[in-house]
Amino acid sequence: MTSTKPFASSADTDVKEQTLEVLADGVYALTAEGDPNVGAIEGEDFLVCFEALATPVAARDWLDILRRHTDKPVRYLVLSHYHAVRVLGASAFDADVIVAHENTRKLVAERGKEDWESEFARMPRLAKAADSVPGLTWPTLTFSDRLTIDLGGDRGDLELRYLGRGHTEGDLVGWLPEQRILFAGDLVEAQAALYTGDAFHRDWASGTLDNVAALGAEALVGGRGAVSRGRAAVDAAIGQTRGFLNVMIREVGAVQARGGTLREAFEASHAALVDDYGRWPIFEHCLPFDVSRLWDELSGVERPVIWTAERDREVWDQLQS
């Protein structure tokens, strides 16, 4: 059976308004109405950029905006995880060092090509000038637990931390302890639905988000959605993320416990989430893939099955038809 709904985000052709926010002296975030967020942090004589967008052409558009504020060269490009729409624009930054968690490098090797094909088919609008991508993005510096970048002068440090498995098994965050600003990647979303197709839901909803909350951020840039400013807004974004995960865990677990089907688990999850989350960006796009991965996880499949363009369509047609 073929789905009657347009596949994933293939019908989302509207250009999103980009908003540059200056969070502190030399700390920038670019948000775009639920499209992937990016950021930058000024060192004394260099830049650290956070996330790379989907293509070099899209990344150059972001850099043109950033260059209105600073002409410092990009020394470090930090990638929060391996997903194509976050990393394949890396060549535009001409960075000296590309930083990621060690698990992210392994995931690029294991499934980077398949993820590239999958994500560009799911979100074609983000793949601006897709033929400008020169190939997979490979980190040149990786770490296991923490990496500290001295920003120079009186700018303090940027701490890159691994807080546990979550959105993927290689997510990192960028933490500015002096300014109490957190670049959380897709471990936290602010009024945007979660993509969990490569996730470890139970770890994410418990210890990993506990570790995010324990930092005590006063401003948080999530993977999508508006910047969260103030402790109440930060706590709300973390709580929304945890709530989405816990509802899915509850609903999918209940269907499995009574011997139900994947389709029934999707329908139960959709019904339980739609009132609170259904109006948020990419909810309908994400949920079939989210439930499919969680079904596998609760069935004992430890690591996510690799998504391919063909598998994407099969799951979509099965659950969104």
Side-chain angles (χ1 to χ4, degrees), residues 83-156:
H83 285 152
V85 296
R86 302 291 182 182
V87 306
L88 291 181
S91 62
F93 292 81
D94 196 24
D96 295 335
V97 182
I98 300 176
V99 188
H101 189 264
E102 62 186 16
N103 289 343
T104 291
R105 194 180 202 291
K106 295 173 184 176
L107 289 163
V108 172
E110 179 186 54
R111 57 186 69 198
K113 183 177 183 296
E114 292 85 353
D115 182 73
W116 179 355
E117 295 169 354
S118 166
E119 293 212 345
F120 277 27
R122 291 187 196 178
M123 296 173 278
R125 181 178 52 78
L126 297 184
K128 185 177 182 180
D131 59 359
S132 66
V133 178
L136 292 173
T137 296
W138 294 97
T140 59
L141 175 64
T142 62
F143 66 96
S144 58
D145 297 311
R146 184 182 302 192
L147 176 70
T148 299
I149 296 173
D150 181 354
L151 297 172
D154 60 357
R155 292 183 174 271

Side-chain angles (χ1 to χ4, degrees), residues 5-6 8-9 193 266 270 274 277-278 280-289 316 320:
K5 293 183 179 181
S9 290
F266 172 75
H270 190 285
V274 69
Y277 299 95
W280 290 354
I282 66 171
F283 174 78
E284 295 291 347
H285 167 167
C286 292
L287 197 62
F289 310 115
W316 184 266
Q320 283 284 33

Side-chain angles (χ1 to χ4, degrees), residues 51-66:
E51 310 288 38
L53 295 174
T55 68
V57 170
R60 280 194 286 272
D61 290 343
W62 152 229
L63 288 168
D64 287 345
I65 296 170
L66 183 61

Side-chain angles (χ1 to χ4, degrees), residues 70-251:
T70 174
D71 61 0
K72 295 174 182 176
V74 179
R75 181 175 298 172
Y76 299 95
L77 174 61
V78 177
L79 305 175
S80 69
H81 61 287
Y82 77 97
H83 285 152
V85 296
R86 302 291 182 182
V87 306
L88 291 181
S91 62
F93 292 81
D94 196 24
D96 295 335
V97 182
I98 300 176
V99 188
H101 189 264
E102 62 186 16
N103 289 343
T104 291
R105 194 180 202 291
K106 295 173 184 176
L107 289 163
V108 172
E110 179 186 54
R111 57 186 69 198
K113 183 177 183 296
E114 292 85 353
D115 182 73
W116 179 355
E117 295 169 354
S118 166
E119 293 212 345
F120 277 27
R122 291 187 196 178
M123 296 173 278
R125 181 178 52 78
L126 297 184
K128 185 177 182 180
D131 59 359
S132 66
V133 178
L136 292 173
T137 296
W138 294 97
T140 59
L141 175 64
T142 62
F143 66 96
S144 58
D145 297 311
R146 184 182 302 192
L147 176 70
T148 299
I149 296 173
D150 181 354
L151 297 172
D154 60 357
R155 292 183 174 271
D157 292 333
L158 170 65
E159 298 177 2
L160 305 179
R161 298 193 185 192
Y162 180 68
L163 301 179
R165 300 189 303 183
H167 175 71
T168 73
E169 58 192 307
D171 300 276
L172 63 79
V173 302
W175 172 232
L176 292 164
E178 291 190 11
Q179 300 92 335
R180 308 205 70 75
I181 297 170
L182 181 66
F183 289 86
D186 279 317
L187 286 177
V188 180
E189 311 291 8
Q191 297 189 14
L194 275 65
Y195 174 68
T196 73
D198 298 299
F200 297 79
H201 295 77
R202 291 168 293 187
D203 287 6
W204 188 0
S206 55
T208 301
L209 283 179
D210 289 346
N211 291 334
V212 172
L215 292 172
E218 295 175 4
L220 183 148
V221 183
R224 295 174 182 261
V227 175
S228 301
R229 292 177 177 266
R231 286 298 299 276
V234 170
D235 290 346
I238 295 170
Q240 171 243 300
T241 301
R242 197 192 303 265
F244 192 106
L245 295 166
N246 281 333
V247 168
M248 282 207 306
I249 292 168
R250 181 191 73 210
E251 296 298 329

Side-chain angles (χ1 to χ4, degrees), residues 300-319:
V301 179
E302 173 64 14
R303 299 186 66 244
V305 178
I306 295 173
W307 291 102
T308 64
E310 181 181 29
R311 181 170 176 245
D312 288 351
R313 291 280 183 171
E314 290 172 354
V315 168
W316 184 266
D317 290 342
Q318 181 182 2
L319 299 183

